Amino acid sequence: PNVTGSLLLLQEHYNNINNTFMRAATLKGLALHTADDAGPVGPDAIWGWGLLNAKRAAETITQNGSEALIQEMTLTQGQTITMQVDSDGINDLIASISWTDRPGVINTQLNSPTPALVNDLDIRVSKDGTTYYPWRLTSATTNSNNGDNKVDPFERVEVENASGTYT
């Protein structure tokens, strides 16, 4: 009930500022992007992305366009969207992409390692020849951020000690 009520309040706050409600994927992405990490660093099979931080999510909505960026976009097949962002030199740079995937083939195997995404979108952050990749689970107890995430309709890249302009 706490999460559901908090998400509804975030929708109300977004609507008060933007005169429209967020898409489901945007709300999901905002909640995951602003969650407080719990357990091991990064996502894991027990804590997921961590604990909902409704205050940080509401602040992100309020700061949209200045200290934060929330955009709802549509991609066409094969399209690449590139943007530049400036880090404040104080906080880590965190970039996320979230989408609602189309229904795919039904898999009857529990915890199948076979990717089931219909649309596998990818996010990368780069600067000066260094590429930062999104988090991904590599097993039930481990994760990594050194390769592509091919199984989740949400990807988050974190750049610690970010400073300067990133693509």
Side-chain angles (χ1 to χ4, degrees):
N2 181 34
V3 171
T4 302
S6 296
L7 294 178
L8 182 60
L9 288 172
L10 290 171
Q11 277 285 31
E12 183 178 23
H13 180 55
Y14 188 89
N15 186 51
N16 287 341
I17 291 175
N18 298 291
N19 229 15
T20 187
F21 292 101
M22 289 178 274
R23 294 177 181 165
T26 307
L27 182 58
K28 171 188 72 177
L30 177 65
L32 299 178
H33 181 89
T34 58
D36 289 333
D37 200 7
V41 174
D44 61 82
I46 295 172
W47 291 95
W49 283 98
L51 302 172
L52 177 67
N53 186 330
K55 180 180 183 286
R56 186 177 310 148
E59 290 169 347
T60 300
I61 292 169
T62 301
Q63 296 166 346
N64 187 23
S66 59
E67 297 176 41
L69 186 60
I70 301 171
Q71 292 185 329
E72 293 183 326
M73 302 176 167
T74 301
L75 285 129
T76 57
Q77 184 68 31
Q79 181 183 8
T80 299
I81 295 176
T82 303
M83 62 180 63
Q84 304 241 315
V85 295
D86 293 319
S87 170
D88 63 9
I90 300 168
N91 298 296
D92 294 343
L93 175 64
I94 304 173
S96 301
I97 185 171
S98 178
W99 66 100
T100 302
D101 201 34
R102 301 178 67 98
V105 177
I106 295 174
N107 188 340
T108 58
Q109 179 186 350
L110 183 62
N111 295 323
S112 171
T114 304
L117 286 176
V118 172
N119 296 297
D120 180 15
L121 306 183
D122 295 309
I123 187 171
R124 304 281 185 272
V125 174
S126 61
K127 180 183 179 193
D128 299 332
T130 301
T131 300
Y132 302 89
Y133 291 92
W135 285 102
R136 62 192 170 99
L137 293 179
T138 52
S139 77
T141 58
T142 61
N143 64 28
S144 171
N145 60 354
N146 64 0
D148 192 19
N149 181 337
K150 299 179 183 202
V151 299
D152 297 310
F154 172 80
E155 294 188 5
R156 183 168 115 182
V157 177
E158 298 175 17
V159 181
E160 293 180 351
N161 304 312
S163 180
T165 301
Y166 291 80
T167 302

